[in-house]
Amino acid sequence: MGDARHVTSTKRVGILTAGGDSPGLNAAIRGFGKAAIGKHGMRILGFRDGFRGLAEDHRMRLDSATLAGILTVGGTILGTSRDKPHRMRVDGQVVDMTDEIVRTYERHDLDAVLCIGGGGTQKNALRLVQAGLNVITLPKTIDNDVAETDATIGFATALEIATEAIDRLHSTAHSHHRIIIAEVMGHQAGWLALGAGIASGADVVLIPEIPYDIGSVARAIKKRTRQGTNFSIVAIAEGARDQTGARLYEGLIARRVAAKGEKEKRSADAEIEAADDDHAGHAIRFARQLETLTGLESRVTILGYVQRGGTPSPIDRLLAARLGNAAADLVAEDRFGVMVASVGEDIRAVPLEKVAGQRKTVPVDHPWIDTARNVGTCLGD
Ligand code: F6P
């Protein structure tokens, strides 16, 4: 209350959504916007397509009218991109646009920016804090891999979609006596594959946190055949790797972490990118090998972007509304440089320094892992 400017003047807040889209982004924009405008009397400005909108001052009007009717709508009305403030492609060149972003912030006399996004967004938001801006973030991603929060906006909906898809694959796998491999998104974390795998009763669940041995997967499937069940469902996370592949990939990551200087970092990044490209289509290669090892016909369904689309579930709407509301209160209190996290029943403001650059993967002693093992799911190890 000591700052007279904030008592007497209307606060102006920019909002952007960055990274891959996810169900519940609009619910978060609405949750923040309604509280910011209705409860606190603030003005809000939407910036288009992530950090690019701030860099290029590409805006859209956000008021009570534009916020109406978006709660149930998938995607983001603001658009999104994976552009980074410090390395943005402009006219064919990669440029540091941080100063442009600061100028946009000053031009519109903003008091704060709300950045809604996943792990990459948290890092980029911290960069803007270091450039002197007042920033608050919300955690959003279907991967559920943002550090310091139990939940991320979009995960609950994606979990429902992936579970329903695997449920449907069960009946066709059963009818044709096949192995069906469902590739589930999640980047380098196994939350979505593990959650959907347990919920849908997949027979095998493979996640990045537990590198697999295809021999042990084949043995589990052959055991089912001996017991009279000649079909199986495998839920495989897109980031899952076999034991050799995981060792090689970890080596690349370690090289990147140890890299000194821009040149070494770029070269390590290029190697990781090449390894990621090679990994695409991994589920198809895995299916061929499994078919050879088990003698059962194997098919692959890549669930892909369907997991990110459409109406958010009630849990995501509720989470988005609560986090958005809390962010509006934080702006009103002039508390910046934090991510609004959901921890147990609480909503907490966590310093961005604790979140940026961290990834929340599935701990190997997590209760979901125990649950999967206890109901006889093969985890590939
Ligand atoms: O982070 C969400 C996510 O859907 C990941 O699960 C996936 O690896 C990635 O985004 C796909 O990214 P893009 O939208 O850039 O293809």
Side-chain angles (χ1 to χ4, degrees), residues 201-228:
D203 308 294
V204 180
V205 177
L206 304 176
I207 60 174
E209 294 84 348
I210 304 181
Y212 67 81
D213 164 19
I214 196 161
S216 98
V217 176
R219 280 191 293 282
I221 289 175
K222 287 208 267 194
K223 185 172 170 206
R224 280 170 57 77
T225 309
R226 281 199 304 279
Q227 291 169 342

mmCIF file of all heavy atoms in Angstrom, residues 201-228:
data_model
loop_
_atom_site.group_PDB
_atom_site.id
_atom_site.type_symbol
_atom_site.label_atom_id
_atom_site.label_comp_id
_atom_site.label_asym_id
_atom_site.label_seq_id
_atom_site.Cartn_x
_atom_site.Cartn_y
_atom_site.Cartn_z
ATOM 1 N N GLY A 201 -5.578 -49.500 -18.089
ATOM 2 C CA GLY A 201 -5.200 -50.908 -17.925
ATOM 3 C C GLY A 201 -4.267 -51.417 -19.008
ATOM 4 O O GLY A 201 -4.356 -52.579 -19.421
ATOM 5 N N ALA A 202 -3.355 -50.557 -19.479
ATOM 6 C CA ALA A 202 -2.373 -51.032 -20.474
ATOM 7 C C ALA A 202 -1.527 -52.139 -19.843
ATOM 8 O O ALA A 202 -1.248 -52.115 -18.641
ATOM 9 C CB ALA A 202 -1.484 -49.863 -20.906
ATOM 10 N N ASP A 203 -1.116 -53.099 -20.652
ATOM 11 C CA ASP A 203 -0.350 -54.239 -20.124
ATOM 12 C C ASP A 203 1.124 -53.882 -19.953
ATOM 13 O O ASP A 203 1.804 -54.440 -19.098
ATOM 14 C CB ASP A 203 -0.499 -55.432 -21.081
ATOM 15 C CG ASP A 203 -1.965 -55.698 -21.347
ATOM 16 O OD1 ASP A 203 -2.660 -56.075 -20.389
ATOM 17 O OD2 ASP A 203 -2.430 -55.448 -22.487
ATOM 18 N N VAL A 204 1.593 -52.976 -20.804
ATOM 19 C CA VAL A 204 2.982 -52.524 -20.739
ATOM 20 C C VAL A 204 2.963 -50.997 -20.787
ATOM 21 O O VAL A 204 2.232 -50.420 -21.601
ATOM 22 C CB VAL A 204 3.794 -53.060 -21.951
ATOM 23 C CG1 VAL A 204 5.246 -52.588 -21.886
ATOM 24 C CG2 VAL A 204 3.718 -54.585 -22.042
ATOM 25 N N VAL A 205 3.732 -50.357 -19.923
ATOM 26 C CA VAL A 205 3.862 -48.902 -19.961
ATOM 27 C C VAL A 205 5.354 -48.570 -19.972
ATOM 28 O O VAL A 205 6.097 -49.012 -19.086
ATOM 29 C CB VAL A 205 3.185 -48.226 -18.739
ATOM 30 C CG1 VAL A 205 3.403 -46.718 -18.782
ATOM 31 C CG2 VAL A 205 1.692 -48.531 -18.691
ATOM 32 N N LEU A 206 5.774 -47.829 -20.988
ATOM 33 C CA LEU A 206 7.196 -47.500 -21.123
ATOM 34 C C LEU A 206 7.372 -45.989 -21.046
ATOM 35 O O LEU A 206 6.730 -45.250 -21.797
ATOM 36 C CB LEU A 206 7.731 -48.035 -22.456
ATOM 37 C CG LEU A 206 7.518 -49.551 -22.655
ATOM 38 C CD1 LEU A 206 7.984 -49.986 -24.041
ATOM 39 C CD2 LEU A 206 8.220 -50.367 -21.574
ATOM 40 N N ILE A 207 8.209 -45.552 -20.111
ATOM 41 C CA ILE A 207 8.380 -44.107 -19.887
ATOM 42 C C ILE A 207 9.877 -43.760 -19.903
ATOM 43 O O ILE A 207 10.713 -44.636 -19.660
ATOM 44 C CB ILE A 207 7.709 -43.653 -18.559
ATOM 45 C CG1 ILE A 207 8.311 -44.384 -17.346
ATOM 46 C CG2 ILE A 207 6.202 -43.868 -18.609
ATOM 47 C CD1 ILE A 207 7.797 -43.866 -15.995
ATOM 48 N N PRO A 208 10.205 -42.493 -20.154
ATOM 49 C CA PRO A 208 11.626 -42.122 -20.234
ATOM 50 C C PRO A 208 12.383 -42.378 -18.930
ATOM 51 O O PRO A 208 13.584 -42.644 -18.959
ATOM 52 C CB PRO A 208 11.596 -40.610 -20.519
ATOM 53 C CG PRO A 208 10.223 -40.298 -20.967
ATOM 54 C CD PRO A 208 9.310 -41.355 -20.440
ATOM 55 N N GLU A 209 11.685 -42.299 -17.805
ATOM 56 C CA GLU A 209 12.362 -42.421 -16.513
ATOM 57 C C GLU A 209 12.817 -43.850 -16.228
ATOM 58 O O GLU A 209 13.647 -44.074 -15.345
ATOM 59 C CB GLU A 209 11.421 -41.957 -15.379
ATOM 60 C CG GLU A 209 11.077 -40.464 -15.419
ATOM 61 C CD GLU A 209 9.925 -40.109 -16.364
ATOM 62 O OE1 GLU A 209 9.526 -40.978 -17.181
ATOM 63 O OE2 GLU A 209 9.430 -38.973 -16.288
ATOM 64 N N ILE A 210 12.249 -44.835 -16.960
ATOM 65 C CA ILE A 210 12.654 -46.234 -16.770
ATOM 66 C C ILE A 210 13.048 -46.787 -18.142
ATOM 67 O O ILE A 210 12.187 -47.272 -18.889
ATOM 68 C CB ILE A 210 11.495 -47.072 -16.154
ATOM 69 C CG1 ILE A 210 11.030 -46.450 -14.836
ATOM 70 C CG2 ILE A 210 11.935 -48.531 -15.959
ATOM 71 C CD1 ILE A 210 9.905 -47.206 -14.138
ATOM 72 N N PRO A 211 14.331 -46.678 -18.506
ATOM 73 C CA PRO A 211 14.741 -47.190 -19.817
ATOM 74 C C PRO A 211 14.381 -48.676 -19.927
ATOM 75 O O PRO A 211 14.522 -49.437 -18.962
ATOM 76 C CB PRO A 211 16.262 -46.981 -19.805
ATOM 77 C CG PRO A 211 16.482 -45.866 -18.835
ATOM 78 C CD PRO A 211 15.444 -46.058 -17.767
ATOM 79 N N TYR A 212 13.889 -49.066 -21.091
ATOM 80 C CA TYR A 212 13.341 -50.431 -21.190
ATOM 81 C C TYR A 212 14.295 -51.392 -21.887
ATOM 82 O O TYR A 212 15.247 -50.995 -22.568
ATOM 83 C CB TYR A 212 11.987 -50.399 -21.910
ATOM 84 C CG TYR A 212 12.051 -49.997 -23.367
ATOM 85 C CD1 TYR A 212 12.395 -50.916 -24.359
ATOM 86 C CD2 TYR A 212 11.763 -48.698 -23.757
ATOM 87 C CE1 TYR A 212 12.459 -50.547 -25.695
ATOM 88 C CE2 TYR A 212 11.822 -48.312 -25.087
ATOM 89 C CZ TYR A 212 12.174 -49.251 -26.042
ATOM 90 O OH TYR A 212 12.251 -48.882 -27.349
ATOM 91 N N ASP A 213 13.979 -52.669 -21.685
ATOM 92 C CA ASP A 213 14.680 -53.753 -22.372
ATOM 93 C C ASP A 213 13.586 -54.459 -23.170
ATOM 94 O O ASP A 213 12.632 -54.998 -22.578
ATOM 95 C CB ASP A 213 15.301 -54.660 -21.303
ATOM 96 C CG ASP A 213 15.714 -56.007 -21.849
ATOM 97 O OD1 ASP A 213 15.870 -56.127 -23.079
ATOM 98 O OD2 ASP A 213 15.863 -56.945 -21.037
ATOM 99 N N ILE A 214 13.696 -54.421 -24.480
ATOM 100 C CA ILE A 214 12.607 -54.967 -25.304
ATOM 101 C C ILE A 214 12.423 -56.472 -25.043
ATOM 102 O O ILE A 214 11.308 -57.000 -25.146
ATOM 103 C CB ILE A 214 12.807 -54.651 -26.810
ATOM 104 C CG1 ILE A 214 11.499 -54.885 -27.567
ATOM 105 C CG2 ILE A 214 13.969 -55.428 -27.406
ATOM 106 C CD1 ILE A 214 11.389 -54.231 -28.906
ATOM 107 N N GLY A 215 13.507 -57.138 -24.635
ATOM 108 C CA GLY A 215 13.402 -58.568 -24.300
ATOM 109 C C GLY A 215 12.438 -58.775 -23.139
ATOM 110 O O GLY A 215 11.611 -59.689 -23.161
ATOM 111 N N SER A 216 12.497 -57.902 -22.168
ATOM 112 C CA SER A 216 11.611 -58.097 -21.012
ATOM 113 C C SER A 216 10.164 -57.742 -21.380
ATOM 114 O O SER A 216 9.225 -58.358 -20.874
ATOM 115 C CB SER A 216 12.166 -57.385 -19.774
ATOM 116 O OG SER A 216 11.599 -56.174 -19.578
ATOM 117 N N VAL A 217 9.972 -56.791 -22.316
ATOM 118 C CA VAL A 217 8.609 -56.504 -22.796
ATOM 119 C C VAL A 217 8.064 -57.742 -23.528
ATOM 120 O O VAL A 217 6.924 -58.180 -23.293
ATOM 121 C CB VAL A 217 8.599 -55.274 -23.741
ATOM 122 C CG1 VAL A 217 7.217 -55.035 -24.329
ATOM 123 C CG2 VAL A 217 9.103 -54.027 -23.023
ATOM 124 N N ALA A 218 8.884 -58.321 -24.385
ATOM 125 C CA ALA A 218 8.442 -59.503 -25.151
ATOM 126 C C ALA A 218 8.112 -60.656 -24.204
ATOM 127 O O ALA A 218 7.108 -61.363 -24.403
ATOM 128 C CB ALA A 218 9.536 -59.912 -26.142
ATOM 129 N N ARG A 219 8.926 -60.830 -23.165
ATOM 130 C CA ARG A 219 8.663 -61.922 -22.211
ATOM 131 C C ARG A 219 7.319 -61.713 -21.508
ATOM 132 O O ARG A 219 6.539 -62.657 -21.351
ATOM 133 C CB ARG A 219 9.793 -62.026 -21.171
ATOM 134 C CG ARG A 219 11.021 -62.769 -21.697
ATOM 135 C CD ARG A 219 12.000 -63.103 -20.585
ATOM 136 N NE ARG A 219 12.626 -61.932 -19.990
ATOM 137 C CZ ARG A 219 13.644 -61.258 -20.553
ATOM 138 N NH1 ARG A 219 14.164 -61.648 -21.704
ATOM 139 N NH2 ARG A 219 14.150 -60.195 -19.963
ATOM 140 N N ALA A 220 7.027 -60.466 -21.133
ATOM 141 C CA ALA A 220 5.749 -60.196 -20.445
ATOM 142 C C ALA A 220 4.579 -60.501 -21.377
ATOM 143 O O ALA A 220 3.545 -61.053 -20.957
ATOM 144 C CB ALA A 220 5.711 -58.739 -19.999
ATOM 145 N N ILE A 221 4.736 -60.171 -22.664
ATOM 146 C CA ILE A 221 3.635 -60.406 -23.614
ATOM 147 C C ILE A 221 3.477 -61.908 -23.883
ATOM 148 O O ILE A 221 2.363 -62.432 -23.937
ATOM 149 C CB ILE A 221 3.874 -59.574 -24.897
ATOM 150 C CG1 ILE A 221 3.659 -58.089 -24.547
ATOM 151 C CG2 ILE A 221 2.956 -60.020 -26.034
ATOM 152 C CD1 ILE A 221 3.962 -57.109 -25.647
ATOM 153 N N LYS A 222 4.607 -62.613 -23.997
ATOM 154 C CA LYS A 222 4.522 -64.065 -24.245
ATOM 155 C C LYS A 222 3.907 -64.785 -23.043
ATOM 156 O O LYS A 222 3.192 -65.774 -23.196
ATOM 157 C CB LYS A 222 5.911 -64.611 -24.579
ATOM 158 C CG LYS A 222 6.354 -64.196 -25.996
ATOM 159 C CD LYS A 222 7.298 -65.176 -26.626
ATOM 160 C CE LYS A 222 8.703 -64.795 -26.378
ATOM 161 N NZ LYS A 222 9.739 -65.395 -27.107
ATOM 162 N N LYS A 223 4.169 -64.271 -21.864
ATOM 163 C CA LYS A 223 3.572 -64.858 -20.659
ATOM 164 C C LYS A 223 2.043 -64.729 -20.716
ATOM 165 O O LYS A 223 1.308 -65.664 -20.392
ATOM 166 C CB LYS A 223 4.122 -64.139 -19.421
ATOM 167 C CG LYS A 223 3.670 -64.724 -18.113
ATOM 168 C CD LYS A 223 4.417 -64.067 -16.963
ATOM 169 C CE LYS A 223 3.789 -64.471 -15.633
ATOM 170 N NZ LYS A 223 4.015 -63.500 -14.591
ATOM 171 N N ARG A 224 1.587 -63.554 -21.183
ATOM 172 C CA ARG A 224 0.133 -63.371 -21.329
ATOM 173 C C ARG A 224 -0.417 -64.383 -22.325
ATOM 174 O O ARG A 224 -1.484 -64.970 -22.115
ATOM 175 C CB ARG A 224 -0.179 -61.936 -21.816
ATOM 176 C CG ARG A 224 -0.136 -60.909 -20.715
ATOM 177 C CD ARG A 224 -0.195 -59.492 -21.253
ATOM 178 N NE ARG A 224 -1.363 -59.196 -22.095
ATOM 179 C CZ ARG A 224 -2.594 -58.973 -21.632
ATOM 180 N NH1 ARG A 224 -2.827 -59.011 -20.333
ATOM 181 N NH2 ARG A 224 -3.586 -58.701 -22.460
ATOM 182 N N THR A 225 0.314 -64.603 -23.426
ATOM 183 C CA THR A 225 -0.145 -65.558 -24.444
ATOM 184 C C THR A 225 -0.245 -66.964 -23.830
ATOM 185 O O THR A 225 -1.256 -67.662 -24.017
ATOM 186 C CB THR A 225 0.825 -65.569 -25.651
ATOM 187 O OG1 THR A 225 1.033 -64.230 -26.073
ATOM 188 C CG2 THR A 225 0.279 -66.388 -26.809
ATOM 189 N N ARG A 226 0.778 -67.352 -23.064
ATOM 190 C CA ARG A 226 0.765 -68.680 -22.423
ATOM 191 C C ARG A 226 -0.428 -68.816 -21.491
ATOM 192 O O ARG A 226 -1.008 -69.877 -21.340
ATOM 193 C CB ARG A 226 2.057 -68.908 -21.632
ATOM 194 C CG ARG A 226 3.258 -69.307 -22.480
ATOM 195 C CD ARG A 226 4.352 -69.952 -21.634
ATOM 196 N NE ARG A 226 4.799 -69.112 -20.521
ATOM 197 C CZ ARG A 226 5.691 -68.114 -20.650
ATOM 198 N NH1 ARG A 226 6.225 -67.820 -21.820
ATOM 199 N NH2 ARG A 226 6.034 -67.404 -19.593
ATOM 200 N N GLN A 227 -0.812 -67.680 -20.893
ATOM 201 C CA GLN A 227 -1.945 -67.713 -19.945
ATOM 202 C C GLN A 227 -3.292 -67.582 -20.670
ATOM 203 O O GLN A 227 -4.337 -67.470 -20.039
ATOM 204 C CB GLN A 227 -1.781 -66.601 -18.910
ATOM 205 C CG GLN A 227 -0.622 -66.868 -17.958
ATOM 206 C CD GLN A 227 -0.278 -65.661 -17.089
ATOM 207 O OE1 GLN A 227 -0.660 -64.530 -17.383
ATOM 208 N NE2 GLN A 227 0.458 -65.912 -16.013
ATOM 209 N N GLY A 228 -3.245 -67.553 -21.998
ATOM 210 C CA GLY A 228 -4.498 -67.570 -22.769
ATOM 211 C C GLY A 228 -4.980 -66.221 -23.270
ATOM 212 O O GLY A 228 -6.085 -66.106 -23.800
#
